[in-house]
Amino acid sequence: DSGVTQTPKHLITATGQRVTLRCSPRSGDLSVYWYQQSLDQGLQFLIQYYNGEERAKGNILERFSAQQFPDLHSELNLSSLELGDSALYFCASSVGGTVWDNEQFFGPGTRLTVL
Amino acid sequence: DQQVKQNSPSLSVQEGRISILNCDYTNSMFDYFLWYKKYPAEGPTFLISISSIKDKNEDGRFTVFLNKSAKHLSLHIVPSQPGDSAVYFCAASGPPDRHLFNKFYFGSGTKLNVKP
């Protein structure tokens, strides 16, 4: 158990809909990262938050957005869903996010299926 | 543009033998490299890392080698055990921004199967 929790575990929805994925980082971790893993794909970095502020952006679509709240939990919002958005979405956390403290601990993931 | 590549999607090895997983990267500014291991239905877990100032780091049965001139790193598992069967991701970190925060770039993974 990494200490990172993600809810829900599974989500099935229809095209055009909007969903919210939730992540609670390990106690004491200030950075939260979101990744997407599509079928046969590696982990695609989406976005990183550190202590409530956006720190780094990866291949995140404009239809997707995220935020980190004062209690450090984070939410990833996916809207106007398309079939291709079906994937495993991982959240990870780390103490900081700098070169010296960037070991990331991953949650179990949320499997999103768009029908 | 994939900055970290794992060109072998799968690898099959006999128990007790050496497993060698390879990873190539394109950005010479990367300065920290990590390997993660992922079992089905679980998130990746950190395995071992190496800084660009080293060319080798060892932790038990796991050794990571870094060849900066070739922009290549490899993970050696000796001896391989059936419990090592998993997907292995390599990741690279950097270059840091002015706050020294890093983006992380992951490869597509190599599925290792260790046969008993």
Side-chain angles (χ1 to χ4, degrees):
Chain A
D1 184 0
S2 67
V4 178
T5 59
Q6 288 187 250
T7 55
K9 281 190 91 167
H10 302 276
L11 199 47
I12 301 175
T13 187
T15 54
Q17 295 297 304
R18 172 190 167 94
V19 296
T20 298
L21 313 184
R22 182 189 167 104
C23 169
S24 293
R26 290 187 324 154
S27 177
D29 285 359
L30 298 179
S31 270
V32 168
Y33 311 79
W34 286 97
Y35 293 88
Q36 179 193 58
Q37 184 184 21
S38 303
L39 196 64
D40 296 331
Q41 295 283 319
L43 289 162
Q44 295 290 322
F45 168 70
L46 295 179
I47 198 163
Q48 177 200 358
Y49 278 83
Y50 174 76
N51 205 22
E53 292 187 5
E54 183 185 302
R55 291 301 310 140
K57 223 167 184 176
N59 300 324
I60 188 165
L61 300 172
E62 283 190 16
R63 300 183 286 109
F64 296 0
S65 65
Q67 54 184 326
Q68 187 179 28
F69 294 88
D71 67 352
L72 301 176
H73 90 270
S74 178
E75 292 181 355
L76 179 67
N77 300 296
L78 315 176
S79 61
S80 303
L81 285 167
E82 301 175 0
L83 295 177
D85 297 328
S86 295
L88 204 48
Y89 290 83
F90 287 104
C91 165
S93 73
S94 67
V95 171
T98 67
V99 296
W100 300 286
D101 53 15
N102 56 9
E103 179 184 335
Q104 295 177 41
F105 295 84
F106 282 78
T110 292
R111 182 168 291 284
L112 173 66
T113 303
V114 182
L115 301 175
Chain B
D1 179 30
Q2 190 115 14
Q3 299 199 44
V4 178
K5 295 180 184 177
Q6 292 176 259
N7 292 318
S8 298
S10 63
L11 175 67
S12 190
V13 169
Q14 203 66 40
E15 180 180 5
R17 299 290 185 103
I18 183 172
S19 296
I20 300 176
L21 297 99
N22 294 304
C23 180
D24 297 293
Y25 60 96
T26 57
N27 191 335
S28 57
M29 295 296 289
F30 287 152
D31 57 4
Y32 196 69
F33 304 88
L34 309 94
W35 284 93
Y36 283 82
K37 176 178 174 179
K38 184 184 178 303
Y39 292 116
E42 293 182 13
T45 54
F46 170 76
L47 193 57
I48 192 169
S49 64
I50 187 167
S51 161
S52 59
I53 63 173
K54 292 185 169 183
D55 54 18
K56 177 182 171 182
N57 189 25
E58 200 170 344
D59 183 2
R61 296 185 297 113
F62 301 91
T63 303
V64 56
F65 295 91
L66 175 62
N67 182 334
K68 290 187 288 292
S69 60
K71 298 196 190 72
H72 176 85
L73 65 154
S74 61
L75 175 68
H76 292 212
I77 307 174
V78 183
S80 302
Q81 298 173 355
D84 296 328
S85 297
V87 177
Y88 290 79
F89 292 97
C90 68
S93 174
D97 66 11
R98 62 189 178 92
H99 299 292
L100 298 178
F101 279 82
N102 295 73
K103 279 190 182 181
F104 294 88
Y105 301 86
F106 280 77
S108 54
T110 296
K111 187 173 184 178
L112 174 65
N113 178 33
V114 180
K115 295 179 285 188

